[in-house]
Amino acid sequence: MSQVLVTGANGFVGRALCRVLSGAGFTVTGLVRHEGLLESGVEEWIEPSVDFAGIEDQWPAALAAHCVVHLAARVHVMREVSVDPEAQFRSTNVEGALRVARAAWNHGVQRFVFVSSIKAIAEADNGRALREDDAPAPEDAYGRSKLAAEEALLRYGRESGLEVVIVRPPLVYGPEVRANFLRLMDGIWRGVPLPLGAASGRRSLVYVGNLADALMRCAIDPRAVAQRFHVADSDAPTVAELCRALGRHLGRPARLLPIPESMLRLAGRVTGRSAQIDRLVGALQVDTSRIRTVLGWHPPYSCDEGLAATARWYRSTRRGGEC
């Protein structure tokens, strides 16, 4: 089978992708900045330079990958300290990605799968599931950097011949998840009352196993070249439904208070946390018909199966291995 290089291979999505690729018979190399945390059987390439500045000269002579899946990125920073966040995001997510793409092409790689974000196009769906050809309107530095990287990479692909594929996932969850999804499970596990019982906006999610499967398909299917794909689970639950499902799988029923959305949004404005409230109660559904039609891809796991797997992992970390 072919060889695949995965940047950010020791991250949440990277580890899941490496497992899927190795299980399918691919030879996998993980490009990381620091040693450790790679999946068993994945060859490690440590390249510590900032924003891949040294990747061209450090490319291993024995590495003959046919595809790069680029996961490494500067993601959301909860307590931003940079005086120019826009420049920092561009440096890593645009210039860094282009450095990897150029080095890959110069060393014989045929395909470059870039993992972008649904935030490159919008933060809300405005009543209709977001399609790949909708006019993009990213709202923060992260989303703008991802959109700029998409455009730059597709342009480079047209100029050089590198086969570029763009994948835009929404929120990714699964075993080893961190950030807000983990905090939500913490709250449900501890029985904290959550003011989300009346939240009615549906939000697309993607189980990490579904995303890894889609990325593997994009790495090998010739029909994926020069495409942008939205990838998500088949279901798009409300936050209230998500909490109830997680509570069921955790064995700790979610304690939901039916606070009207208008009151939550008002509280967000008063406390300066409108963006966080919007992500909880606003609608953000994505249309995945393109990848289903073009590649014939369908999520191998249902949303409920993904939530069950995530809850089993969480319980194992909280109760000494009990599942």
Side-chain angles (χ1 to χ4, degrees):
M1 291 290 286
S2 298
Q3 187 170 12
V4 179
L5 174 66
V6 179
T7 71
N10 54 3
F12 166 48
V13 177
R15 286 169 58 85
L17 175 60
C18 288
R19 286 194 295 269
V20 168
L21 290 170
S22 296
F26 289 89
T27 300
V28 184
T29 297
L31 174 57
V32 295
R33 294 190 63 189
H34 306 288
E35 183 179 1
L37 297 178
L38 288 182
E39 290 294 302
S40 175
V42 175
E43 185 174 338
E44 185 178 68
W45 172 16
I46 301 174
E47 211 296 288
S49 66
V50 176
D51 299 336
F52 303 101
I55 189 171
E56 180 75 43
D57 296 332
Q58 298 301 320
W59 195 277
L63 179 59
H66 91 281
C67 177
V68 172
V69 180
H70 187 61
L71 285 160
R74 187 177 199 259
V75 296
H76 300 287
V77 180
M78 296 301 292
R79 293 177 178 85
E80 182 64 72
V81 296
S82 172
V83 296
D84 190 352
E86 201 87 26
Q88 288 292 322
F89 276 107
R90 284 193 62 89
S91 180
T92 300
N93 296 348
V94 185
E95 281 82 8
L98 277 171
R99 289 190 188 103
V100 178
R102 292 189 185 105
W105 177 247
N106 291 338
H107 287 86
V109 173
Q110 299 172 356
R111 185 168 299 191
F112 190 90
V113 179
F114 178 67
V115 183
S116 182
S117 168
I118 200 63
K119 291 179 176 292
I121 188 169
E123 296 275 0
D125 63 28
N126 293 320
R128 179 178 60 77
L130 298 172
R131 298 194 302 257
E132 292 84 349
D133 57 357
D134 284 338
E139 296 183 11
D140 62 10
Y142 171 72
R144 288 188 289 273
S145 71
K146 283 293 191 178
L147 179 63
E150 290 181 17
E151 299 292 350
L153 288 166
L154 287 168
R155 184 166 54 252
Y156 179 71
R158 290 191 296 269
E159 294 169 353
S160 66
L162 179 66
E163 299 175 351
V164 175
V165 186
I166 307 296
V167 175
R168 290 174 177 161
L171 185 149
V172 186
Y173 69 96
E176 301 179 20
V177 70
R178 294 292 182 263
N180 290 336
F181 203 96
L182 179 59
R183 286 191 282 272
L184 178 63
M185 286 195 291
D186 284 338
I188 295 171
W189 182 260
R190 298 197 309 268
V192 175
L194 302 173
L196 302 171
S200 59
R202 296 193 173 275
R203 299 187 70 86
S204 292
L205 314 168
V206 61
Y207 176 52
V208 69
N210 288 335
L211 177 57
D213 187 78
L215 291 173
M216 181 174 67
R217 176 69 68 87
C218 289
I220 59 176
D221 196 316
R223 297 170 295 182
V225 177
Q227 294 278 356
R228 295 188 226 220
F229 293 121
H230 291 173
V231 176
D233 293 347
S234 296
D235 300 325
T238 67
V239 174
E241 291 171 347
L242 176 64
C243 291
R244 293 188 185 102
L246 281 171
R248 173 164 47 85
H249 290 301
L250 288 169
R252 303 283 183 95
R255 298 179 62 191
L256 300 180
L257 305 178
I259 307 299
E261 290 183 22
S262 58
M263 292 184 63
L264 291 177
R265 293 184 188 278
L266 176 60
R269 290 193 294 272
V270 170
T271 60
R273 303 182 65 183
S274 291
Q276 294 92 323
I277 296 298
D278 287 344
R279 284 195 291 271
L280 280 172
V281 304
L284 179 60
Q285 296 187 73
V286 305
D287 185 334
T288 61
S289 59
R290 177 174 291 182
I291 192 170
R292 294 169 186 263
T293 301
V294 175
L295 303 187
W297 180 83
H298 297 276
Y301 304 97
S302 69
C303 182
D304 195 64
E305 289 171 327
L307 294 175
T310 308
R312 284 195 298 271
W313 162 78
Y314 183 91
R315 291 173 59 188
S316 74
T317 66
R318 295 302 187 274
R319 304 181 66 172
E322 179 186 339
C323 294

